[in-house]
Amino acid sequence: MTHRFVARHTQKWEEKNVGKMLKALEMNPGMALVDLGSNLGVFTLNAAFRGREVIALDALLPNNYLLQRSLKHNNLTCGVTILHNALHSHRHQMRIAIKTMNIGGSKIKEIPEKKGESSTKNLVDAVCLDDLVPLVRGKDVFVKMDLEGSEESVLQCAHEFFNKVNVKVLMMEWVFHRKNAAASRNIINILTSHNMVPTLDVEGGSILNISTSHWPNDIFWLKTNKSV
C-alpha cells in the first residue's frame, strides 16, 4: 500500500507584520507600542512579552476582555494599558457596525439623528489620538494603526500627538485608501508634514513614491530628520 503524506503548514496571524514590528523594537531599545485597533492583541502580546510598554486601544469591549485574559494568563499585565474607545476626528459617541463573520472588520459609524433613536446597543466613546499624549509623551513609539478605513479621520485630530510623541514608525493598513484619491492625499499630506516617509519595511530600504497612492496593503511610515 502506498501512503501519501500531506505536509501541514501552520500560520500565525499577521506573522509577517509582527516580525517587522519586532525588528523595529530590536532596533530601538525602550521603544513602546501604541496598538490602535488591537483586536485580540497579537501585536500587544508580542511586544509585552519582550518587556515593552504598550497602549492597546480597541472599540470592541469583548476584544478588550479577551486581551486582558491573555495578558493575565501569560503574566504580562505589567506595562500594558488597555483602552476601550474608538478613535475619530472629534470626541463624541459613535456606534459600532459589527461584522459577525469578521469581528476584526467591524467599523465605527456616526449615530443617525432620528427621533426615537434611543438604542444604546454597540455604542462607544470616540476620542482623539491627541488624547493619548499623556500616556506616551516624549517617548519613542511604534504605532500600529488598523482602523478599517478610519485612518484619515483619526489623523485630523493627531497634531499634538505627532509633535509631543516621537513616532519613529507608523504601520498602517493601506487597502482602504489605495483607490481613494482624496483620502490618501490627505493622509500623505498630514504625515509628510510631520516628517514621515512611506516605506515597505522598518529599515527604510524601500521608500514609496508619494506622488501616487497605489501602494501595497500594509505600509510603514518612518520618521526622518528632513522635511519631506
Side-chain angles (χ1 to χ4, degrees):
M1 178 183 293
T2 302
H3 296 277
R4 183 181 181 186
F5 293 93
V6 179
R8 294 177 179 264
H9 298 279
T10 59
Q11 183 177 7
K12 297 178 181 178
W13 185 255
E14 290 274 15
E15 183 174 13
K16 185 176 180 180
N17 285 333
V18 168
K20 290 183 178 181
M21 177 197 71
L22 294 178
K23 177 64 176 178
L25 296 182
E26 180 184 334
M27 293 166 56
N28 297 273
M31 185 163 70
L33 168 65
V34 178
D35 192 353
L36 306 177
S38 52
N39 203 335
L40 299 181
V42 62
F43 287 86
T44 290
L45 288 164
N46 273 278
F49 181 75
R50 286 156 179 82
R52 300 307 177 94
E53 180 181 354
V54 182
I55 307 299
L57 177 147
D58 200 272
L60 285 169
L61 192 57
N63 284 350
N64 293 325
Y65 283 150
L66 289 170
L67 174 55
Q68 186 177 39
R69 289 179 61 184
S70 295
L71 290 165
K72 185 176 180 180
H73 179 75
N74 290 281
N75 296 316
L76 296 173
T77 54
C78 184
V80 179
T81 300
I82 299 177
L83 303 175
H84 174 223
N85 289 102
L87 284 173
H88 208 250
S89 57
H90 53 290
R91 305 166 183 89
H92 65 309
Q93 200 167 58
M94 302 186 76
R95 191 177 301 281
I96 308 170
I98 296 178
K99 290 187 176 181
T100 55
M101 299 301 293
N102 177 21
I103 296 298
S106 300
K107 298 182 179 182
I108 57 169
K109 294 186 176 182
E110 300 284 353
I111 300 175
E113 295 182 3
K114 296 180 181 179
K115 290 183 178 181
E117 179 70 31
S118 59
S119 173
T120 59
K121 186 177 181 180
N122 299 330
L123 297 183
V124 63
D125 290 327
V127 297
C128 287
L129 188 53
D130 282 345
D131 295 325
L132 274 59
V133 168
L135 299 175
V136 285
R137 186 189 303 269
K139 296 180 180 179
D140 294 346
V141 300
F142 180 109
V143 177
K144 188 218 84 180
M145 185 178 286
D146 185 355
L147 301 173
E148 300 302 310
S150 298
E151 289 81 5
E152 180 196 7
S153 294
V154 170
L155 290 174
Q156 291 174 19
C157 192
H159 181 72
E160 185 178 0
F161 186 86
F162 282 94
N163 281 341
K164 296 185 177 180
V165 180
N166 188 19
V167 181
K168 301 196 76 170
V169 185
L170 166 60
M171 186 188 112
M172 178 182 290
E173 189 177 33
W174 194 252
V175 64
F176 294 101
H177 314 296
R178 187 164 47 224
K179 295 182 180 180
N180 186 332
S184 60
R185 181 46 50 190
N186 285 338
I187 292 172
I188 291 170
N189 288 342
I190 290 171
L191 291 177
T192 54
S193 73
H194 291 289
N195 297 336
M196 306 290 290
V197 295
T199 73
L200 294 179
D201 55 54
V202 297
E203 299 176 90
S206 303
I207 297 177
L208 296 167
N209 183 356
I210 61 173
S211 66
T212 180
S213 61
H214 294 281
W215 300 339
N217 290 348
D218 298 296
I219 60 172
F220 297 83
W221 292 85
L222 306 185
K223 186 72 171 286
T224 177
N225 294 324
K226 301 179 181 179
S227 298
V228 181

